[in-house]
Amino acid sequence: MARSGFLALLFAALVAFVPGVAAADTLRVGLSTRAGPFDFAIAPAADQTLAVRAAYETLVRSAPGGGYRNGLAARWTTSRDGLVWTFQLQPGRRFASGRAVDAKAVIFTLDRLRAIGRGNASMLNDLIASAQPAGTNAVRLRLTHPSPALLALLSDRMTSIIDPSIANRIRGDRWGSQWLATRTAGSGRFQLQPGSQRGIHILTQQPYWQPLKGDPRPSAGGFDRLIYREIVDPTVRRLALEKGEIDIAFLLPSQEQKRLQRSRRGVLHRAPILAFNNLAFNLQSKAMQDVRLRRAIGHAIDVEGIIRYIRGGTALGFAGPVPPSMPGHATGRRFAYNLAMARRLAAQSHKTGRPLRFIYPGVSPETDTIAQYIQATLKPLGLDVRIERLSVPAYLDRMSRGSYDMVLQGAVIDFNDPSAIMNAWFEPTRAGISNPARYSNPKVTALIRQSEREMNPARRRQLIEQAARLTHADVPYVYLSQTVMTIAARPNIKGITIDPFDALNLPVGQMQRGK
């Protein structure tokens, strides 16, 4: 038995035989990537923090059918001009430390995010002029301009409310990022146990947690301990599920899903989520300057073939940039697969003659196959594509530096608002990981800025559609697919649902082990 598996079993056995301690029912989850850092403000990818989602709560939450519902905030009001928002906190909420969740905690969290300023926090920097207490259990936010995206931002995992006492835990670490990288300090139902073994992350119930107002009480016979194991190899992850070593396996590629179905030792739960795959062109690279060449590449890629034969139906066609669940999606457009047109455009375009550097993250056999397919399908266009399979840290570093001509982009959208896409993929100040095309168009930027302030839904939709049409003409991306999220589970695990707006947050409070 692997050392990590032995340690997990040993932990459970020790608890089971301690006098007076009942053996808790443990949910065991297999992760597809290395976990951490656990600080939402600095973690570049959503799946890095999956293991600690149950340790935190946000002010508001996305509602299953759209819109927003209460989280730590029981209710909220806004001024007529949309510049002042007041959030009334639910009484009696406590962090795992026992400290009250109050206005000071919310203000500390928002100030911290704005000071760190990474990712979506940069949007908060531009939006929030001040955050002040309106009593012990209420917070008043003054905005620099009206924003239709405020509630969406406050539902993002990034804005999970943090215990302010962590700021004093480490000398010289004012905002506690070093401390939070390996620990939790939230008000959620669970807390990460200190000293977890490498690759194994154990969470237990925190003593002060109660269901949020309006939520059902946790299911009788539910789980009171969570163990997340890092099992990066998808075949090993699938075998661990079949053997009963784990209860849930995240992000199995289509080949492993088919093997699991044949074994009948697991159940697949599926739903489309806000995660997308695109081919991004580095527009700052001389090799990708000619829009005719970018269009030629778009027409040469058989997207339906990728979805059907490589991704095994675990994806949907995506006519970007805005998905159907968001305002402004009506302008979506995909390249028609047309090899004759692709060859004609490529022949007319200016090519540098040097090999094209195509980077992608080596996270699964599917990404390997997609990269190899793109390499092969562009060869008849006279393009010598050199693919580079990179580890996730190396991949992110290369995107940050712009050292590539093309990149296979995997984008997980954090909240259900078009600004989550438009302010990332097309924002010149976020060139790199968020905007791998390194796209910049002043007209598009101006339209996006207007849409950020427009509270009239119809007018806002028009602005987004106009910006999208301009980006279609510029071809910074070839939109490939929208991911259908699959959670593979043991047949006796009940109550699994997938929130399309928060897909990596397991509903552990409503899950239980059936017979």
Side-chain angles (χ1 to χ4, degrees):
M1 180 184 296
R3 183 171 182 267
S4 60
F6 173 77
L7 288 170
L9 292 173
L10 178 61
F11 180 89
L14 287 174
V15 172
F17 288 101
V18 173
V21 177
D25 194 2
T26 299
L27 181 70
R28 302 157 299 169
V29 181
L31 299 175
S32 63
T33 188
R34 303 297 180 194
F38 294 136
D39 182 357
F40 295 121
I42 65 173
D47 54 0
Q48 290 177 284
T49 57
L50 189 157
V52 297
R53 294 298 297 278
Y56 291 96
E57 296 169 318
T58 52
L59 279 178
V60 298
R61 297 174 291 173
S62 60
Y68 301 92
R69 57 186 174 132
N70 70 278
L72 288 172
R75 58 188 179 276
W76 52 88
T77 58
T78 183
S79 61
R80 183 171 295 181
D81 61 6
L83 292 176
V84 180
W85 292 69
T86 303
F87 295 86
Q88 186 69 44
L89 302 180
Q90 294 202 27
R93 307 298 300 179
R94 294 190 176 275
F95 293 105
S97 67
R99 189 190 186 283
V101 179
D102 55 15
K104 291 181 180 179
V106 176
I107 293 169
F108 168 80
T109 299
L110 295 177
D111 286 347
R112 179 178 184 273
L113 286 169
R114 294 159 69 199
I116 293 172
R118 297 193 187 181
N120 292 331
S122 62
M123 296 174 67
L124 291 176
N125 270 335
D126 297 333
L127 179 59
I128 298 178
S130 67
Q132 298 175 332
T136 303
N137 284 314
V139 176
R140 182 168 294 121
L141 302 183
R142 294 187 181 276
L143 308 186
T144 57
H145 58 80
S147 172
L150 178 64
L151 293 180
L153 281 167
L154 295 179
S155 71
D156 179 18
R157 73 185 192 283
M158 167 192 68
T159 59
S160 298
I161 305 304
I162 293 172
D163 188 341
S165 66
I166 61 112
N168 301 319
R169 299 289 175 90
I170 300 175
R171 183 177 300 175
D173 183 19
R174 180 187 175 196
W175 297 113
S177 287
Q178 296 176 33
W179 194 89
L180 281 173
T182 57
R183 301 170 181 85
T184 56
S187 59
R189 181 179 175 186
F190 293 88
Q191 61 181 329
L192 185 66
Q193 291 299 297
S196 295
Q197 298 293 326
R198 181 174 178 81
I200 300 178
H201 311 281
I202 302 169
L203 291 88
T204 57
Q205 291 196 88
Q206 64 113 325
Y208 304 100
W209 183 83
Q210 294 293 328
L212 288 163
K213 183 180 179 181
D215 285 0
R217 297 197 65 82
S219 303
F223 300 103
D224 46 19
R225 181 183 296 111
L226 311 175
I227 295 180
Y228 289 86
R229 288 177 51 191
E230 297 172 8
I231 311 176
V232 176
D233 186 287
T235 301
V236 176
R237 197 159 64 252
R238 188 255 308 170
L239 290 172
L241 183 71
E242 291 182 344
K243 294 175 182 178
E245 295 173 359
I246 58 176
D247 300 302
I248 287 177
F250 265 101
L251 303 180
L252 288 179
S254 58
Q255 300 94 323
E256 298 301 333
Q257 291 181 31
K258 291 175 182 177
R259 293 178 181 126
L260 181 65
Q261 287 178 308
R262 287 197 294 268
S263 75
R264 298 184 179 180
R265 294 179 181 175
V267 176
L268 300 177
H269 303 264
R270 290 173 171 161
I273 63 171
L274 298 180
F276 306 94
N277 286 111
N278 304 322
L279 178 65
F281 303 112
N282 182 355
L283 301 184
Q284 294 179 357
S285 163
K286 289 184 179 180
M288 305 310 304
Q289 294 291 304
D290 194 326
V291 70
R292 293 171 297 183
L293 180 61
R294 303 197 296 271
R295 287 177 181 151
I297 292 172
H299 285 297
I301 297 174
D302 182 3
V303 173
E304 291 299 330
I306 290 175
I307 292 172
R308 181 178 301 175
Y309 300 112
I310 300 178
R311 301 204 62 182
T314 62
L316 302 173
F318 174 47
V322 182
S325 64
M326 298 180 186
H329 71 276
T331 57
R333 190 182 71 185
R334 288 168 54 189
F335 282 97
Y337 175 52
N338 188 326
L339 279 178
M341 183 177 291
R343 290 191 181 99
R344 188 161 57 250
L345 286 168
Q348 296 169 358
S349 68
H350 172 73
K351 296 190 284 288
T352 62
R354 69 166 175 81
L356 300 179
R357 299 163 298 170
F358 177 27
I359 66 171
Y360 74 98
V363 294
S364 73
E366 285 182 3
T367 56
D368 292 335
T369 306
I370 291 171
Q372 291 162 10
Y373 163 75
I374 291 175
Q375 179 188 44
T377 203
L378 298 187
K379 191 172 182 179
L381 306 187
L383 301 177
D384 180 9
V385 177
R386 304 288 176 87
I387 59 176
E388 296 182 57
R389 186 183 198 269
L390 303 174
S391 66
V392 172
Y395 168 76
L396 297 175
D397 175 67
R398 289 281 294 275
M399 281 204 292
S400 296
R401 293 188 289 113
S403 181
Y404 56 89
D405 298 305
M406 300 188 297
V407 57
L408 187 62
Q409 177 198 28
V412 178
I413 306 307
D414 296 314
F415 53 90
N416 188 35
D417 188 86
S419 61
I421 291 177
M422 304 302 285
N423 288 40
W425 298 358
F426 308 110
E427 171 55 59
T429 62
R430 300 181 71 178
I433 295 173
S434 296
N435 175 5
R438 312 182 89 79
Y439 179 81
S440 178
N441 181 325
K443 292 182 180 179
V444 172
T445 302
L447 289 166
I448 291 173
R449 295 285 185 271
Q450 286 181 263
S451 72
E452 290 174 350
R453 301 164 183 255
E454 182 56 65
M455 300 300 288
N456 181 294
R459 176 58 183 154
R460 187 182 188 220
R461 183 174 62 251
Q462 292 173 356
L463 291 169
I464 294 167
E465 290 174 354
Q466 190 176 348
R469 280 192 289 270
L470 290 174
T471 66
H472 286 315
D474 292 336
V475 196
Y477 301 94
V478 174
Y479 303 113
L480 298 179
S481 61
Q482 178 178 4
T483 297
V484 174
M485 176 76 169
T486 301
I487 296 178
R490 297 284 294 176
N492 63 341
I493 302 300
K494 309 300 181 184
I496 295 176
T497 57
I498 300 175
D499 182 348
F501 309 131
D502 196 9
L504 294 179
N505 193 4
L506 282 172
V508 292
Q510 305 309 309
M511 293 167 57
Q512 58 185 303
R513 192 182 304 277
K515 295 181 180 179

